[in-house]
Amino acid sequence: MTAYIIRRLLLIIPTLFGIMIINFAVVQFAPGGPVEQLIAQITGEDVGATARISGEAGGEAGGGQFSQVTGDVAGTSKYRGAQGLDPEFIKEIEALYGFDKPAYERFYIMVGNYLVFDFGQSYFQDRDVIDIVLDKLPVSISLGLWSTLLVYLISIPLGVRKAMRDGSRMDVWTSAVIIVGQAIPGFLFAILLIVLFAGGSYFDWFPLRGLVSEGWEDFGLFQKIYDYFWHITLPVVAMTIGGFAYLTMFTKNAFLDQINMQYVLTARAKGLTERRVLYRHVFRNAMLLIIAGFPSLFLGLFLGGSIIIEVIFSLDGLGLLSFESVVNRDYPIIFANLYFFGLIGLGIGIISDIVLTIVDPRLNFEASDV
């Protein structure tokens, strides 16, 4: 197993390199890059998510060096909205963002910096990218970790129970609840929770925004823990509903598939109790499929499922940061997020394989080609 883990760790390097080079190439063809964004802000044509930080970008990122905009210089430019601006002024903007260098040189510099975890500065927030990401990380980890834990704690026991009582009234009515859970989008369920429990129309039991209350640093230990879970309850419940529905049915089907295997019939014929058959034989084999699906479920909740939830509950996490960085064409943050999420995903995949060998020691990854 040690040799397999070493191989997987070494494969992280080329895998991350492939992720970065593909996304870097795609970004080069995307319209509305950071140069065009700043030009739009300077000329007063900026709209959308970038508008709210235009003052910050023009004042801090652009500085006073761009006050020499001249509107009487005619000509053409490869940047949309740059007509009438001094070409030298455009070159200064390109140099500011590093676009005075060819693409391959920019990629080479970026990879070299990333090897030492130097992610540069945000184009529009005038802060180190690593500081921005670390500020947002607690929110995303809280949402992803607690949602995944809650999904597994509910889905596995319920799925096993449904498999053991397949076709019963309990199986039917819980399936109806699961169908409703699959049909309702997470963001709609989040709005429903706000209306019911966050001062919408009925009860005002939970806060509507933030991960912790103001002055949280001055709270005692138990008060901090209480306040944290008080704030995270509704967002986590909203994110849990979709994953819970999927994993419950997946668990049921996995156990049903194993229960109908020949080895289960043989174990029963030998006189083993149903409990012993279930937890000694069926559980171990069925859990292999469930554990193998953990990385995709966690990353789905960690990134994809958290964006809308963060917006609804005013939680400033990586999901919202990723969306805003794409809208603003803030390339350092975009690539840093890709790097972090790729690294986290690959790391979770290795951990998942280790857990698989613990659940079923018969697995031999040493003989694997990867």
Side-chain angles (χ1 to χ4, degrees), residues 12-59:
I12 289 178
I13 298 175
T15 304
L16 280 177
F17 182 82
I19 292 173
M20 300 306 295
I21 195 171
I22 291 173
N23 285 278
F24 185 87
V26 170
V27 162
Q28 303 311 304
F29 297 99
V35 175
E36 289 178 307
Q37 294 278 358
L38 186 55
I39 290 174
Q41 293 168 11
I42 292 173
T43 57
E45 298 176 359
D46 182 38
V47 295
T50 57
R52 67 177 181 277
I53 59 172
S54 58
E56 184 177 359

Side-chain angles (χ1 to χ4, degrees), residues 59 126 173 209 302 316 357:
D126 196 32
W173 73 260
R209 62 179 64 246
F302 183 68
D316 197 8
T357 60

Side-chain angles (χ1 to χ4, degrees), residues 119-130:
F119 300 99
Q121 279 197 330
S122 166
Y123 286 162
F124 299 103
Q125 298 190 41
D126 196 32
R127 293 179 60 199
D128 289 340
V129 171
I130 188 66

Side-chain angles (χ1 to χ4, degrees), residues 2 5 32 96 175 192 256 267 274 278 310 330 358:
T2 303
I5 294 175
L96 175 69
S175 294
L192 178 63
L256 280 178
E274 284 295 318
L278 176 64
E310 288 177 12
D330 200 338
I358 296 174

Side-chain angles (χ1 to χ4, degrees), residues 150-201:
L150 193 58
V151 164
Y152 270 80
L153 288 177
I154 295 174
S155 299
I156 294 178
L158 181 58
V160 173
R161 188 68 174 172
K162 286 173 63 64
M164 296 300 296
R165 302 183 60 181
D166 184 41
S168 66
R169 293 180 61 182
M170 174 266 184
D171 181 42
V172 172
W173 73 260
T174 52
S175 294
V177 174
I178 289 171
I179 291 173
V180 173
Q182 288 179 319
I184 300 178
F187 73 90
L188 190 59
F189 193 71
I191 295 174
L192 178 63
L193 290 175
I194 290 175
V195 171
L196 292 177
F197 303 113
S201 300

Side-chain angles (χ1 to χ4, degrees), residues 251-295:
T251 302
K252 175 189 174 182
N253 293 331
F255 273 81
L256 280 178
D257 184 60
Q258 292 297 319
I259 288 173
N260 295 324
M261 291 286 185
Q262 183 63 42
Y263 76 88
V264 175
L265 298 177
T266 302
R268 287 171 175 168
K270 290 181 178 180
L272 296 180
T273 63
E274 284 295 318
R275 185 179 183 85
R276 188 174 179 83
V277 170
L278 176 64
Y279 292 104
R280 180 73 180 271
H281 300 283
V282 175
F283 189 83
R284 182 175 63 181
N285 293 327
M287 283 300 295
L288 294 178
L289 295 174
I290 299 171
I291 294 173
F294 174 80

Side-chain angles (χ1 to χ4, degrees), residues 29-352:
F29 297 99
V35 175
E36 289 178 307
Q37 294 278 358
L38 186 55
I39 290 174
Q41 293 168 11
I42 292 173
T43 57
E45 298 176 359
D46 182 38
V47 295
T50 57
R52 67 177 181 277
I53 59 172
S54 58
E56 184 177 359
E60 297 180 2
Q65 59 181 315
F66 295 134
S67 60
Q68 50 182 301
V69 179
T70 56
D72 57 347
V73 180
T76 60
S77 173
K78 62 181 179 180
Y79 300 110
R80 182 177 57 187
Q83 288 75 16
L85 298 181
D86 189 341
E88 292 300 321
F89 168 68
I90 301 299
K91 289 181 180 179
E92 289 183 10
I93 299 179
E94 290 179 331
L96 175 69
Y97 294 135
F99 282 83
D100 55 335
K101 304 179 181 66
Y104 70 88
E105 186 175 344
R106 285 187 278 120
F107 180 75
Y108 174 79
I109 293 173
M110 183 184 73
V111 171
N113 290 335
Y114 279 22
L115 290 176
V116 293
F117 288 90
D118 178 8
F119 300 99
Q121 279 197 330
S122 166
Y123 286 162
F124 299 103
Q125 298 190 41
D126 196 32
R127 293 179 60 199
D128 289 340
V129 171
I130 188 66
D131 293 335
I132 297 174
V133 171
L134 290 178
D135 284 346
K136 316 294 184 182
L137 200 57
V139 172
S140 296
I141 289 180
S142 295
L143 292 176
L145 183 62
W146 292 117
S147 299
T148 304
L149 181 62
L150 193 58
V151 164
Y152 270 80
L153 288 177
I154 295 174
S155 299
I156 294 178
L158 181 58
V160 173
R161 188 68 174 172
K162 286 173 63 64
M164 296 300 296
R165 302 183 60 181
D166 184 41
S168 66
R169 293 180 61 182
M170 174 266 184
D171 181 42
V172 172
W173 73 260
T174 52
S175 294
V177 174
I178 289 171
I179 291 173
V180 173
Q182 288 179 319
I184 300 178
F187 73 90
L188 190 59
F189 193 71
I191 295 174
L192 178 63
L193 290 175
I194 290 175
V195 171
L196 292 177
F197 303 113
S201 300
Y202 297 91
F203 305 103
D204 191 7
W205 292 348
F206 296 95
L208 186 58
R209 62 179 64 246
L211 188 63
V212 294
S213 301
E214 292 185 8
W216 183 82
E217 297 82 1
D218 300 326
F219 293 171
L221 176 60
F222 291 105
Q223 190 178 3
K224 284 184 177 180
I225 295 174
Y226 171 81
D227 185 76
Y228 168 75
F229 282 105
W230 183 48
H231 280 77
I232 207 69
T233 297
L234 293 187
V236 167
V237 171
M239 290 182 62
T240 298
I241 188 67
F244 142 78
Y246 164 77
L247 188 60
T248 299
M249 296 307 299
F250 185 81
T251 302
K252 175 189 174 182
N253 293 331
F255 273 81
L256 280 178
D257 184 60
Q258 292 297 319
I259 288 173
N260 295 324
M261 291 286 185
Q262 183 63 42
Y263 76 88
V264 175
L265 298 177
T266 302
R268 287 171 175 168
K270 290 181 178 180
L272 296 180
T273 63
E274 284 295 318
R275 185 179 183 85
R276 188 174 179 83
V277 170
L278 176 64
Y279 292 104
R280 180 73 180 271
H281 300 283
V282 175
F283 189 83
R284 182 175 63 181
N285 293 327
M287 283 300 295
L288 294 178
L289 295 174
I290 299 171
I291 294 173
F294 174 80
S296 59
L297 176 64
F298 176 77
L299 287 178
L301 293 173
F302 183 68
L303 175 60
S306 66
I307 296 177
I308 299 179
I309 300 299
E310 288 177 12
V311 173
I312 293 175
F313 288 98
S314 299
L315 295 171
D316 197 8
L318 287 180
L320 184 59
L321 176 66
S322 300
F323 172 75
E324 291 184 341
S325 63
V326 171
V327 173
N328 295 323
R329 303 299 192 269
D330 200 338
Y331 291 165
I333 294 181
I334 292 176
F335 292 125
N337 281 335
L338 287 170
Y339 187 87
F340 276 114
F341 287 127
L343 196 60
I344 291 172
L346 293 170
I348 291 176
I350 296 174
I351 295 173
S352 177

